[in-house]
Amino acid sequence: MKALVKSSSNRSILILLVGIFILMSILAPRKFLTFSNMISMSYQLPLIAFLSIGMMISMLTGGINLAIIATANFTGIVTFSILQTLAGEAMNQASILQSLIALGGGLIAALVIGAVMGYLIAYIEVPAILATLSVMILLQGINVVLTKGYTLSGFPPFITNICNGTVGRIPIPTIILIVVCIILYVVLRKTVFGRSLYILGANPIAAKFSNINVRASLMGAYMLSAFFSALTAFTMIGQFNSVKANYAESYLLVAVLACFLGGVDPFGGTGKLTGMVLSVISLQLISTGVTILRMDPFFIQAMWGLIIIVLIVANKFGKQIKETRRLRTARLEQKSEEQESQVS
Amino acid sequence: MKQLHKKFTDCQVKDLMERYLKKKIERKDLQKVLGIKKTRFFALIKRLKEDPENFGNTLLFPTTTEIGGTYGLTLMPILWFASLILGWFILRKTFLGRSIFAMGGNEVAAERIGINTMFVRIFVFGFVGFLSGLAAVVHLSIVQAVVPNIIVGKELEVIAAVVIGGASVFGGRGTVIGTFLGVLLFAIINNGLTLLNVSSYWYNITIGIIITSAVTVSAYQKLRQSRTRVNVKIENGEGIK
């Protein structure tokens, strides 16, 4: 916690988070400061969180993954089709084994997509934005062809329970989110793979010369990113009990926004998981707040946009102020040194 | 130009009026269809008789179909070509345009040779805003309705068209004619698939395959070029991977 407060990159987002929390507590204490509200927020949180973390991993390497949502929808649709072929008509009575096979199949599909993207980016050296963009358009098309544009529903209770159930009163996706975040934190901080992602983003040539297998790590990063898309897909299956070609499409740029807000450098190399999680929580707080205060729901997006602009400007000015202060002290020191030399 | 009727396009109104003049329809029926009073009706008839050419929308190269309707090129392509020429002129023939390329290639170098990068950046984004405004006008005149999020999500398609046209995402490279061809490719694919009776489900797949292969091939060519270059330079045979 101390490190969280101390690290300067997280400070602004933490101030924002606490600020919104206090503001909401003052404006609507009876509705906002309730346990059920916290639970409802933790229901909505995992969806954006998984997407944003997937986006963050690709951004750490200096790329971007525009296909996260298309991959997620593709995963959901593959899961649905596997279940349909296994269980046939009686889909909502599918056995646990069949459900597990379907979920595993979806996960594998997502990883294959991630591997394809990673291969294009790492081995053929297509710019990340182009590779993921073209894969995104391709997947969107495949999704529409597979579903014929319909919403397909009817998942067995086992899957919906896993993806939307509760333990005590805490939703399972939130527990999954917490566990995955802890694992990812360790992976990014303590393992060779995680550290090499950061170096890769900061300077790929230096990474190459420090004996990092650049191509394999890059491919791994995109597969990890696709893994988070799969987690998003499972959360969506649980929450909507259906799959569709274009669910959550508007969250793509929200995920990018959350990354910026969390202090992830789009050119790669910097970005912390803690900042990321904080930024997702504050976005969620804003949207819950707007809903509780009964403002126009479209106002949520406007607020998100406004806050990122304000944060960027504030960060910029903060840096400038620091710089001028540093320069001033440097100048003063120089002056005093000059005076000393004159005196002597 | 103001539209003649709320629910009908000007061509349709003109067509109906001409049919009335040829005594194919009764006046009362026509008034019912259009939902207008007698005075307004005769005013329209008068306008049509006085100036049959300019009744309704202005069309370029108007032609008549076998059924009797007129169609032609609307004025929107003129807007498009004008902005193309404007963009080409600014990018190729002015100092400003060359500084945009210079900045894209290497911003620090551009600043060193005396380019006001801040002004150039403001101009670029301002110009994009201007073109977005033009796009809004064109879109409005086609759809004739304002919806806050109707073309949200088109950004990525735009990026794809521009990239197919040969512009570099890292800046410093790209041509107006290439972008023109990229946009044209998308339009032709869309139109061609419709004419081939391909189900609209397959549009995105086709476009996705085309973009993926185009991007991959060009990246692969670049990769091979750089590989041969490295191999030539290194003497011992042991190169950097």
Side-chain angles (χ1 to χ4, degrees):
Chain A
M1 198 63 204
K2 223 176 188 180
L4 217 134
V5 178
K6 263 190 179 173
S7 74
S8 62
S9 64
N10 283 340
R11 197 181 293 150
S12 53
I13 184 70
L14 199 65
I15 291 171
L16 180 79
L17 183 66
V18 174
I20 296 169
F21 195 86
I22 292 173
L23 186 73
M24 281 312 302
S25 313
I26 294 170
L27 284 178
R30 281 194 188 163
K31 286 180 195 157
F32 185 75
L33 283 175
T34 54
F35 188 65
S36 62
N37 184 41
M38 298 299 150
I39 291 294
S40 111
M41 277 201 298
S42 62
Y43 257 114
Q44 297 162 34
L45 197 61
L47 193 63
I48 293 188
F50 286 139
L51 282 176
S52 313
I53 292 170
M55 185 65 95
M56 180 189 100
I57 292 165
S58 59
M59 271 192 178
L60 285 182
T61 64
I64 189 170
N65 188 354
L66 292 173
I68 41 173
I69 282 158
T71 315
N73 282 321
F74 180 70
T75 309
I77 290 164
V78 166
T79 310
F80 183 87
S81 335
I82 292 175
L83 212 56
Q84 208 175 26
T85 35
L86 283 180
E89 287 288 298
M91 241 191 76
N92 38 18
Q93 281 127 33
S95 65
I96 292 177
L97 181 68
Q98 285 170 334
S99 311
L100 281 179
I101 291 173
L103 288 180
L107 190 63
I108 289 170
L111 290 181
V112 167
I113 296 292
V116 168
M117 276 189 302
Y119 184 81
L120 285 180
I121 294 163
Y123 289 88
I124 310 188
E125 293 178 8
V126 183
I129 186 168
L130 296 185
T132 55
L133 177 72
S134 48
V135 170
M136 179 194 100
I137 294 177
L138 189 62
L139 279 183
Q140 275 176 349
I142 292 174
N143 288 345
V144 172
V145 167
L146 287 180
T147 59
K148 297 264 181 276
Y150 289 114
T151 307
L152 308 174
S153 63
F155 281 94
F158 174 71
I159 290 183
T160 47
N161 274 344
I162 276 197
C163 307
N164 205 23
T166 52
V167 171
R169 282 185 67 188
I170 301 165
I172 293 178
T174 316
I175 297 173
I176 297 177
L177 175 66
I178 293 169
V179 172
V180 165
C181 275
I182 292 170
I183 295 173
L184 187 68
Y185 184 82
V186 174
V187 167
L188 286 181
R189 291 263 138 193
K190 305 285 177 199
T191 64
V192 177
F193 171 68
R195 299 314 299 169
S196 61
L197 286 190
Y198 280 95
I199 300 175
L200 202 69
N203 192 338
I205 296 169
K208 203 178 268 178
F209 282 108
S210 41
N211 199 19
I212 288 170
N213 191 345
V214 173
R215 293 174 195 267
S217 311
L218 208 53
M219 197 159 152
Y222 281 90
M223 282 175 77
L224 195 58
S225 181
F227 172 73
F228 277 94
S229 294
L231 286 183
T232 317
F234 298 148
T235 316
M236 284 202 291
I237 287 175
Q239 292 190 344
F240 308 146
N241 190 17
S242 61
V243 289
K244 202 184 169 192
N246 57 355
Y247 268 151
E249 241 168 20
S250 58
Y251 278 165
L252 177 59
L253 295 176
V254 174
V256 179
L257 172 93
C259 285
F260 284 134
L261 210 57
V264 180
D265 184 358
F267 300 107
T270 49
K272 284 177 185 155
L273 192 64
T274 45
M276 191 65 235
V277 172
L278 286 179
S279 87
V280 172
I281 293 175
S282 47
L283 286 182
Q284 185 56 49
L285 275 181
I286 293 168
S287 78
T288 310
V290 167
T291 318
I292 282 184
L293 294 177
R294 300 211 173 158
M295 286 195 259
D296 197 312
F298 293 107
F299 198 66
I300 296 173
Q301 277 195 330
M303 282 295 287
W304 287 351
L306 188 70
I307 276 173
I308 189 160
I309 293 172
V310 168
L311 260 191
I312 288 172
V313 173
N315 274 348
K316 171 93 184 163
F317 275 111
K319 253 182 211 165
Q320 260 180 7
I321 289 168
K322 248 184 216 166
E323 190 78 350
T324 46
R325 226 180 253 163
R326 201 179 58 83
L327 281 177
R328 201 184 296 151
T329 47
R331 218 176 288 144
L332 284 177
E333 274 170 14
Q334 211 177 2
K335 253 185 195 172
S336 58
E337 269 174 25
E338 274 172 16
Q339 279 172 350
E340 272 173 25
S341 62
Q342 277 174 0
V343 167
S344 63
Chain B
M1 198 179 293
K2 206 186 155 227
Q3 209 184 346
L4 290 169
H5 194 276
K6 246 190 207 168
K7 287 172 191 161
F8 296 92
T9 63
D10 295 344
C11 285
Q12 284 171 322
V13 175
K14 190 181 175 186
D15 197 40
L16 287 170
M17 291 291 177
E18 274 170 352
R19 277 191 213 177
Y20 165 73
L21 289 180
K22 286 172 195 162
K23 306 229 160 127
K24 280 181 187 164
I25 324 176
E26 292 281 317
R27 199 192 77 210
K28 274 182 186 167
D29 293 339
L30 190 51
Q31 274 180 338
K32 236 182 213 169
V33 168
L34 292 174
I36 50 176
K37 296 248 169 70
K38 208 171 161 188
T39 39
R40 170 75 176 147
F41 181 77
F42 280 110
L44 282 178
I45 288 287
K46 198 180 163 198
R47 237 171 98 182
L48 178 62
K49 274 183 184 163
E50 270 175 3
D51 195 1
E53 285 294 311
N54 290 330
F55 187 83
N57 277 345
T58 320
L59 295 176
L60 303 172
F61 320 116
T63 6
T64 321
T65 53
E66 292 158 10
I67 318 161
T70 44
Y71 71 97
L73 213 53
T74 53
L75 292 178
M76 283 163 227
I78 293 185
L79 217 55
W80 188 32
F81 286 121
S83 52
L84 276 178
I85 291 169
L86 181 66
W88 172 81
F89 182 78
I90 291 178
L91 281 180
R92 289 275 144 188
K93 298 288 166 193
T94 63
F95 177 71
L96 190 61
R98 304 319 296 170
S99 6
I100 293 172
F101 278 104
M103 235 178 93
N106 188 337
E107 196 175 334
V108 178
E111 216 165 339
R112 288 281 162 83
I113 58 168
I115 289 168
N116 186 350
T117 46
M118 185 164 151
F119 170 73
V120 171
R121 190 160 277 150
I122 288 175
F123 171 79
V124 165
F125 282 90
F127 196 69
V128 171
F130 165 69
L131 289 178
S132 312
L134 275 188
V137 169
V138 169
H139 188 257
L140 194 65
S141 68
I142 296 173
V143 183
Q144 304 196 353
V146 193
V147 184
N149 52 1
I150 191 158
I151 25 183
V152 171
K154 271 264 195 275
E155 301 98 333
L156 299 173
E157 251 174 68
V158 171
I159 295 178
V162 170
V163 163
I164 285 214
S168 160
V169 256
F170 302 112
R173 242 186 299 142
T175 55
V176 172
I177 189 80
T179 310
F180 169 76
L181 291 177
V183 174
L184 208 62
L185 178 74
F186 268 73
I188 288 175
I189 291 171
N190 266 340
N191 190 31
L193 288 178
T194 313
L195 292 181
L196 283 173
N197 277 334
V198 176
S199 149
S200 63
Y201 295 134
W202 292 88
Y203 277 25
N204 266 356
I205 292 195
T206 325
I207 290 176
I209 288 173
I210 289 172
I211 299 177
T212 316
S213 44
V215 163
T216 311
V217 166
S218 72
Y220 185 67
Q221 279 172 345
K222 223 187 207 171
L223 189 69
R224 255 184 28 191
Q225 270 177 10
S226 66
R227 264 188 196 154
T228 48
R229 221 183 295 145
V230 168
N231 285 346
V232 168
K233 269 185 188 171
I234 287 164
E235 290 167 359
N236 299 349
E238 262 187 347
I240 323 153
K241 200 175 118 196

